[in-house]
Amino acid sequence: MNIQIFGTKKCNDTKKAQRFFKERGIKFQFIDILDKGMSKGEFQSVAKAHGGIDGMINPECKDKDALARVNYMADKLETILENQQVIKTPVVRNGKASTLGYAPDIWKKNNFLK
């Protein structure tokens, strides 16, 4: 099992996801998307599983300027990769499986705990 949690240090849902896995003794790797970010391949893999690029965008993102850039640029993928603060967090990955946001019910059902 190789669980990765992509999020930000200030995101409450990311903190809750980390606590969820810690309480169950499950190791994970935390990646701060503001420091390191998701690679293009990682992003595309998650986006494909969640209805495409638009499914990855958090419409309630605090950085409204970055959100506007993403929504109006022709090359959304590159713009999102440069402005990852617009991604819904946390992004929790376990191999090919992934979730967006705090999703303990899905983690319990879909082999995130094994």
Side-chain angles (χ1 to χ4, degrees):
M1 180 175 352
N2 187 20
I3 293 180
Q4 296 176 305
I5 300 175
F6 293 88
T8 63
K9 294 173 186 169
K10 292 185 178 184
C11 173
N12 287 331
D13 282 344
T14 299
K15 291 176 189 176
K16 289 189 321 189
Q18 290 175 320
R19 185 172 42 245
F20 175 89
F21 289 105
K22 279 181 189 174
E23 287 173 352
R24 286 153 181 81
I26 297 170
K27 293 182 181 180
F28 60 87
Q29 176 186 15
F30 171 69
I31 299 102
D32 190 328
I33 60 173
L34 300 180
D35 291 338
K36 185 172 187 289
M38 298 177 82
S39 72
K40 188 174 187 176
E42 289 168 331
F43 181 85
Q44 288 175 318
S45 173
V46 174
K48 183 178 178 183
H50 295 281
I53 292 174
D54 291 330
M56 297 281 295
I57 298 172
N58 180 2
E60 297 174 18
C61 170
K62 292 179 183 177
D63 189 341
K64 299 298 181 193
D65 291 336
L67 188 59
R69 273 192 304 278
V70 166
N71 285 326
Y72 296 105
M73 294 300 285
D75 188 356
K76 275 191 177 183
L77 176 60
E78 290 303 322
T79 307
I80 291 172
L81 291 173
E82 293 170 5
N83 298 279
Q84 293 196 19
Q85 67 271 26
V86 303
I87 298 172
K88 290 179 188 173
T89 56
V91 175
V92 179
R93 294 183 66 216
N94 184 13
K96 298 271 184 198
S98 64
T99 60
L100 295 175
Y102 182 67
D105 293 338
I106 296 172
W107 301 330
K108 289 175 187 174
K109 290 179 190 174
N110 294 347
N111 296 327
F112 280 83
L113 304 179
K114 295 180 182 176

